Structure formats: C-alpha cells, structure tokens
Amino acid sequence: RLHETEIEISKPYHHNADCLTPPQLPIDAKAHQPLYLLQSYLKQHQQQRILFCAESAGRRETLLELLQRIDVYPKTLNNWQEFLADDAPIALTIGLLEAGVELPARNISIVTEAQLFGHQVMQQRRRQKAAENFSDTLVKNLTELHIGQPVVHIDHGVGRYQGLQCLAIDGQTLEFLCLEYANNAKLYVPVSSLHLISRYSAGEEDNAPLNNLGSDQWQKARRKAAEKINDTAAELLHIYARRAARQGFRYELNNTDYELFCSSFPFEETPDQQTAIAAVIEDMKSPQPMDRLVCGDVGFGKTEVAMRATFVAIQNHQQVAILVPTTLLAQQHYESFKDRFADWPIQVEVLSRFRSAKEQQQVLDRLESGHVDLVIGTHKIIQPGVKFKRLGLVIIDEEHRFGVKHKEQLKALRAEVDMLTLTATPIPRTLNMAMAGMRDISIIATPPAKRLSIKTFVREYNAVVLKEAISRELLRGGQVYYLHNEVKTIEKTAEQLTELVPEARVAIAHGQMHERELEQVMADFYHKRYNLLVCTTIIETGIDVPTANTIIMDRADKLGLAQMHQLRGRVGRSHHQAYAYLLTPPPKTMTADAIKRLEAITEAEDLGAGFTLANHDLEIRGAGELLGDEQSGHVHAIGFSLYMEMLESAVKAIREGKTPNLDQPFQQGPEINLKIPALIPTDYCGDVSLRLVLYKRIANANTVATLIDLQAEMIDRFGPLVEPIKNLFKVTQLKLKATQLGIKKIEAGPGGGQIEFSGDTQVDPLRLVKLIQQQSNIYRLNGVDRLRFVMDLSDVEKRISAVDEVLEQLR
C-alpha cells in the first residue's frame, strides 16, 4: 500500500554547502487521510525536530485538529524565527511552501500541507469553488434575500422571508428563519434545515402565490408539477441517449503545435479560462459530438476559448464556421483570427455585407472545395446555398442574439457537427437547459487582471449632467459612445450634442448606412479621428475600443436587460475607470418591467455580473419550458429553484431504474437535535445576509472535505471558531453520516437518546441485533424503527462523540 501511494519528489534543493532534500513522506493523496501514514513517518524521525507548515490561519486550525486525532500536539508558532529560537520538538506555523525540506545540519524537517494532502490546498479550494454547480450559486442561494421576498419550503410551499430570529428551546438558544404564509401564519425553520429552502424565482415577486399552512393546496400543486416533471425527465433521458448514440469526429491533439499556438496568446489565462479551454478540448477528443455553452462576461476571454478550439479542429483537417449576429463583429473577428493565425497555413475568410456579391461567391466556392479552413459570418452562413466540404466545428458567438430556428438550421448542416456556443448573458431558455444538464456548460467568472467594474448611473435626461459626463471623458483623452436607437432622429441628436459640447468631434453610425461608409466610420473612431460616436445598438456586440470608457444610453427604458449589459460592456475594456449613464424619462411614464430591468442593471455592477443578470432576466421573463414553447407552466406554481431540484431528482431516479415518488420527490436528510447551541453568534458575524449565506453553505455541504474547507475559510475571514459554530459543524458532519445510513431522526440529551430509521435504511439488521446483544445495558429497540441508548451524556463533547460512535458501529 505504501509503495503504491508514495510520491517521490525528484528535484533536491541546494543551498550553499548544505544539501536540502524534501522529507520523503508516504502520501495517500487519493484517500485524503494521510494521518496513519504520517504516524509511521513521525516514529522513524523521533530524533528530529519537525515543523508543519499550513497555508493560512484557517488551514492551521484544521491541521491542528487532524494531528490531535493521532495524539500529536504541535506547538503553534508565528514564524520560522520563533521555531529556531524555540526548542519544541514538533511545531506548527503558517507558510506558503509547496514542498518540504530537510536540514541535516540542524536536525530539522519541514513538512508542508501539499505533502500531506497531495495537492496545494488553497489552489485546489479555488478550483473547486469555480467548478461548483453554478445553479446553486446563482439561483438556489439566498444571498440576495431581503425582508418580504418569497421563498419556497419543500414541505410547506411559498411564503415570505421575514428575517432570522433567535429562540430558546430546551434551554438552548437556536437561530431560525422566520417565514410568513397566507393569513399571516408564521413558520420557524431551523438554520440546520436551510437546504429545504430555496428562492422563489418565477416572475413577479409581488404576485407570488402564498400557500396556506396546514392545507393540502401545496401538496396538490407539488404533485401536479411532479407528474409533469417526470414526463420531462423521461424525455430528457431520451435526448441524452440519442446524443450519446451519435458518433462525431474524435479529434487528436498535436501537443507541440498546440503549445506553440497557445504561447502566442499575449495575456495570462485566468483559472476559469483554463478550465473552460480544457473542457472544450476534452469534448473534442471524445467520440460524442460536443454541445457546450461557454458563459463569460463581456471581455472575459471567451474568444480565446473559440480560437483554441478552432486551431484543434483545423489541425485535424476539419472546417470551422463561426456565426456572429452583426457585420461589425464579423469584421472584427475576421481581423482578430487572421492576425492570430498569421503564422499558420490556415485560410480565414469572412461572409458579410462588407464583401461584394462576387467576393462572397468566391468564398462560397472555396468553402465547398475545402480550400477555406475557417469562415466567419452573419446569417449568410446558414443560407441554403452554403455548402461545406468537411464541416467539423460550429461556433455561435453572442448566442442570445439568435433564435432557436437559426441554431437548428446549423445543426442540420451536419448531424455530427461539434457545437460551441459563447454568451455573456444566456437567454432564460438556454440557462434553463444548462441547469437541467441538457447542455454542458463552462463558466468564465474570473475577470482579467487590473480590470475595474463599470460605474453605472440611472438618471432622468438632463443636459447639464450630459455635458459634464462627455466633457470629463474628453478631458482625460478618452472617447464616448452616445446610444440613440432611432435612425430618423439620430442626425438631429448629433447636431444637439455638437452644440452642447463644441470641442467634441462627432460621428454617426447606424445599420442603414452603406457598408463601406459604416466600415470607414468605425475605423476612424477606432483611430481616434472622432471622440464622440452617436450610434444605434449596432455597436452592441464585439466592438473593442480600449480608449472608449464612457457610454450614454438614451431612453434606456426601451432596452432589454442583456442588451444593456452588452452595451455597457463596450466600455471599460482596459485598466481605466469606465462609466455608463442610463438616461430615462420620468419614472411614471415607464413600465414596471422597465423599472425592474434598470434596478437589476445598477445592482449588478460587479465584474462577472452577466450570470446574475441572466438570472434576473429569467425571473422577469419566466423560465421557459425546457422542451416546449410555453413561457410559464408549473414553474410559476412551485418556483424555478424547486422545479430544477425536482427535475434533477426525477432524472436520477429514472436512471437508477426507480419510479420517482410523486409525494416525496427527494430525500430531505435527517433531523438532528442534540440539545446543544449550534449557531453562528451575531458577535462573530454581525451581517444577517452573510450569516444566512454561511448557514446555507454549511447545510448544502455534501462532503466532510467541503465542511473542513468552509471551516478554514471562516477562520481566515472572521477569526477562531467559537463553541456554538464548532457544534454546528460537528452536527452537520453527523448529518452526512446519518444520511448515508438512511436515518430519519437523531435525538440526544444528558441521559442518552434515540435514533429513528427511515423505511429504506441502509443499516444491516444483523449488525443492529449484534450491537444490542453485546451491550444490552446501553442499547435497546424502542418499537420497530427506533434504537434507544442510555448513558451519561451530560458533557457536550461526550454527547457528540457518543452519537458519532453509534453511527460508526451501524456502518
């Protein structure tokens, strides 16, 4: 076992005359439980002084707890100097070292976390966080909850959140979520049951259908939705099966050429970008056709993902088609790709109205004969007359600008074609499909280095504010977009702006201009011959002008949410602070949805806000049926989050060959009451919203490793854990064990307790009988489904340990 799992560190460290070699620890990286191996190491090195290095204060506490399990009690020191001055045989400090070292001259060994766990813990934690299911972080979480907002309880239905409240029960103070239902009925939900709560996201919050506590109204609505969901799940699995049966092209990766191509990328890839690229390459190497959605905010590097995929496809002698919504974006992509592929024998062409009919026909002929490797274009690519010789990959940029019919036309080009879709703000239907697992999804949420968020202001039209905003940008040598989306009055608007700001050099751009004229205007603006561009939404996609850092949108109330976010993304593409002004008429003249859109766009100023906005869009417009054309349905009755959870559960049940339970759609987890304080005190974390998020994350944790990481994170953020928080984590760990065993309820107090088993418990009856026979003075059955244990558990630590021991014996 040791031989199989040992990791050799091949590079010795040299420093002056001493030879520093890493201590050879036997590592069990897969099991994440290297303690028994560490014991043997400590026995062999009893004569040496050992210093353990943790990566942060939180990790130090975690490591201390782990070492104490094998009766190793290191002295906690602040730094290396303290260790040298001290004579403690075993010590623990904070130090970001990747590998340990041995100092024979001083008889000292330094052991790092990376050696103990087989990876760099903090880096691994960041990756895990980035790879978390985004539906949980965007829709199910309670981060944006405010008083009066509707939420859904799995058993009781839709109510309104009324805040967190502390109540004393059995002499212990516990924290509860207060929910208000129809007829002012109140329900108090313990924070340990937060996994039963989700946000109600299905359109108008004010019109959420509140349920009556104690009536069967909610059960009927949930059952009706469950029936429909089961049909959807069966159809989903049929789609999965059809897709898995199709044979696509299996791409081979020439590592030498690929690495050479990657090295020409002028920026450093963000961690999310690397993950997305790796996922796309893996999909292409698979025999199944790819259908991946890459979500990344405006300017977060989606195009580079497309370039890498394009390179791999062309190296495998396949043609690539990139579909874009606008002529300007097609032209910009054409120039970018041509520039990037300049050193490679790759033929890049563009199909757009910037090309004459004769030039377009030449491109089509060369495409059909296979002489063009990559074609970029607008809707012309999906016209009936366009034929490819060996189309292997289709990339759709700005997916939200295309209808379902356009995408189906593309798939019809060739059934086995690989599809890569790029978007900043996925439309509700796409987001819905991705959450259901019908489409693979990668998220690029990390902003590029030195990128600042765009300051956004919503203002009624005011000439003074307008003049000040334009003048400030021009004075710092920048450029301004002024968006006016009506062609018939655009010239008049340009004249008014010239009068208002005489020093501005004004140009006009709109879709009705002649191709060459439009191309010339955009080129002149890019080269700073103009510094104020009065334009329509033609600039919405792909225009990258680093010196343009102020955008003013006239009549922003008429624009869609994704549209506003895309337009705002035209500025702030360098390290300068950018500004977006949304000019509106008086609030009384705007629709309720327009006001909601403007509120959402101003709230979502942070970098990477595209997903949040997509979720708001989903709430404002409705989720859209997965497999039908309706925009509402059962989602309205039970809320989007619960709908998706039930769908996930139904798919899982059908896959396992079970019949989904209509009355109890999924396991709710065991109820545990040890009569001990288990909460996050207000003096430890005073922010209610933050406490709520931490409670939700603890309740949703599905592995012990996740809990340990969360524990370390809390220590790093708020300081050492106090007793009630430690209890909360320990109770949650017990809950994970109890869930695996199929236990319904655990109760324990000073004099003992009892365990209630569910109907489908995993506990072996013979093991239970054996336990009772061996220790009949402690254990006995209480009815057919309860195990009672009697012992002195007045000490809290002993109570937790006793319950843990019982669960271990039942495993």
Side-chain angles (χ1 to χ4, degrees), residues 420-451:
L420 177 62
T421 307
L422 313 175
T423 183
T425 46
I427 57 173
R429 184 188 178 86
T430 303
L431 195 60
N432 200 351
M433 289 170 81
M435 286 174 181
M438 282 175 74
R439 304 186 65 172
D440 298 319
I441 185 160
S442 292
I443 294 178
I444 304 177
T446 320
K450 295 184 181 176
R451 182 68 61 85

Side-chain angles (χ1 to χ4, degrees), residues 64 133 167 225 260 284 593 667:
L64 191 62
N133 185 335
L167 300 175
L260 195 60
M284 293 177 78
D593 275 2
Q667 291 294 326

Side-chain angles (χ1 to χ4, degrees), residues 180-328:
E180 186 178 61
Y181 283 80
N183 305 318
N184 298 321
K186 293 275 194 336
L187 177 72
Y188 293 93
V189 183
V191 287
S192 57
S193 300
L194 265 182
H195 58 288
L196 304 178
I197 305 284
S198 55
R199 278 187 62 198
Y200 176 84
S201 313
E204 292 278 342
E205 283 183 7
D206 300 338
N207 300 328
L210 296 189
N211 293 113
N212 286 299
L213 282 181
S215 77
D216 62 352
Q217 170 200 5
W218 168 248
Q219 266 64 34
K220 282 179 181 174
R222 195 178 69 181
R223 186 185 171 87
K224 202 172 177 183
E227 288 171 3
K228 172 73 176 170
I229 285 166
N230 289 347
D231 294 343
T232 306
E235 203 165 337
L236 269 177
L237 288 172
H238 181 58
I239 290 169
Y240 281 136
R242 277 206 332 247
R243 187 174 152 198
R246 273 167 43 208
Q247 285 298 308
F249 184 85
R250 189 198 285 265
Y251 292 87
E252 300 291 333
L253 192 63
N254 182 327
N255 285 319
T256 312
D257 286 351
Y258 180 69
E259 290 300 328
L260 195 60
F261 175 73
C262 294
S263 65
S264 65
F265 182 51
F267 307 100
E268 187 183 343
E269 297 97 338
T270 62
D272 289 354
Q273 210 177 3
Q274 286 175 328
T275 308
I277 290 166
V280 168
I281 301 298
E282 279 305 307
D283 283 355
M284 293 177 78
K285 285 158 79 175
S286 155
Q288 266 94 40
M290 171 169 72
D291 186 10
R292 181 166 290 275
L293 177 71
V294 175
C295 286
D297 221 333
V298 186
F300 275 34
K302 299 186 296 293
T303 307
E304 180 59 22
V305 180
M307 283 188 175
R308 304 271 174 105
T310 300
F311 182 81
V312 172
I314 294 171
Q315 287 296 98
N316 282 265
H317 312 294
Q318 297 294 302
Q319 288 175 305
V320 180
I322 300 179
L323 178 65
V324 296
T326 66
T327 312
L328 288 177

Side-chain angles (χ1 to χ4, degrees), residues 22-268:
Q24 295 301 302
L25 269 176
I27 308 283
D28 186 357
K30 286 181 186 172
H32 284 271
Q33 289 179 335
L35 297 180
Y36 70 100
L37 297 169
L38 182 60
Q39 273 178 310
S40 63
Y41 173 79
L42 292 171
K43 281 176 188 173
Q44 292 166 23
H45 296 77
Q46 285 179 346
Q47 306 307 314
Q48 282 187 318
R49 293 183 67 209
I50 295 173
L51 176 67
F52 290 101
C53 281
E55 294 179 9
S56 69
R59 294 301 310 171
R60 182 182 63 194
E61 296 298 315
T62 303
L63 194 55
L64 191 62
E65 197 178 303
L66 289 172
L67 289 167
Q68 285 171 355
R69 286 190 202 170
I70 54 168
D71 295 323
V72 175
Y73 299 92
K75 186 173 182 179
T76 305
L77 300 172
N78 291 323
N79 50 44
W80 167 248
Q81 285 75 14
E82 278 190 21
F83 177 68
L84 290 179
D86 204 288
D87 58 354
I90 299 176
L92 174 61
T93 191
I94 297 169
L96 281 169
L97 296 178
E98 287 188 25
V101 292
E102 282 186 351
L103 300 159
R106 288 179 175 268
N107 201 29
I108 288 173
S109 281
I110 300 171
V111 177
T112 68
E113 269 200 287
Q115 285 178 285
L116 287 172
F117 294 96
H119 56 71
Q120 204 168 344
V121 185
M122 287 176 79
Q123 188 180 13
Q124 185 75 7
R125 197 164 3 136
R126 277 199 298 271
R127 281 180 191 156
Q128 282 173 355
K129 201 169 179 182
E132 274 177 0
N133 185 335
F134 79 102
S135 65
D136 190 55
T137 54
L138 294 181
V139 177
K140 291 187 219 167
N141 75 19
L142 303 171
T143 52
E144 295 172 1
L145 265 194
H146 49 77
I147 303 293
Q149 191 163 8
V151 293
V152 185
H153 189 290
I154 288 170
D155 290 329
H156 303 287
V158 183
R160 290 195 186 279
Y161 167 68
Q162 298 297 333
L164 286 172
Q165 289 187 23
C166 286
L167 300 175
I169 294 175
D170 292 335
Q172 303 295 336
T173 303
L174 299 171
E175 201 157 14
F176 292 83
L177 209 73
C178 177
L179 305 183
E180 186 178 61
Y181 283 80
N183 305 318
N184 298 321
K186 293 275 194 336
L187 177 72
Y188 293 93
V189 183
V191 287
S192 57
S193 300
L194 265 182
H195 58 288
L196 304 178
I197 305 284
S198 55
R199 278 187 62 198
Y200 176 84
S201 313
E204 292 278 342
E205 283 183 7
D206 300 338
N207 300 328
L210 296 189
N211 293 113
N212 286 299
L213 282 181
S215 77
D216 62 352
Q217 170 200 5
W218 168 248
Q219 266 64 34
K220 282 179 181 174
R222 195 178 69 181
R223 186 185 171 87
K224 202 172 177 183
E227 288 171 3
K228 172 73 176 170
I229 285 166
N230 289 347
D231 294 343
T232 306
E235 203 165 337
L236 269 177
L237 288 172
H238 181 58
I239 290 169
Y240 281 136
R242 277 206 332 247
R243 187 174 152 198
R246 273 167 43 208
Q247 285 298 308
F249 184 85
R250 189 198 285 265
Y251 292 87
E252 300 291 333
L253 192 63
N254 182 327
N255 285 319
T256 312
D257 286 351
Y258 180 69
E259 290 300 328
L260 195 60
F261 175 73
C262 294
S263 65
S264 65
F265 182 51
F267 307 100
E268 187 183 343

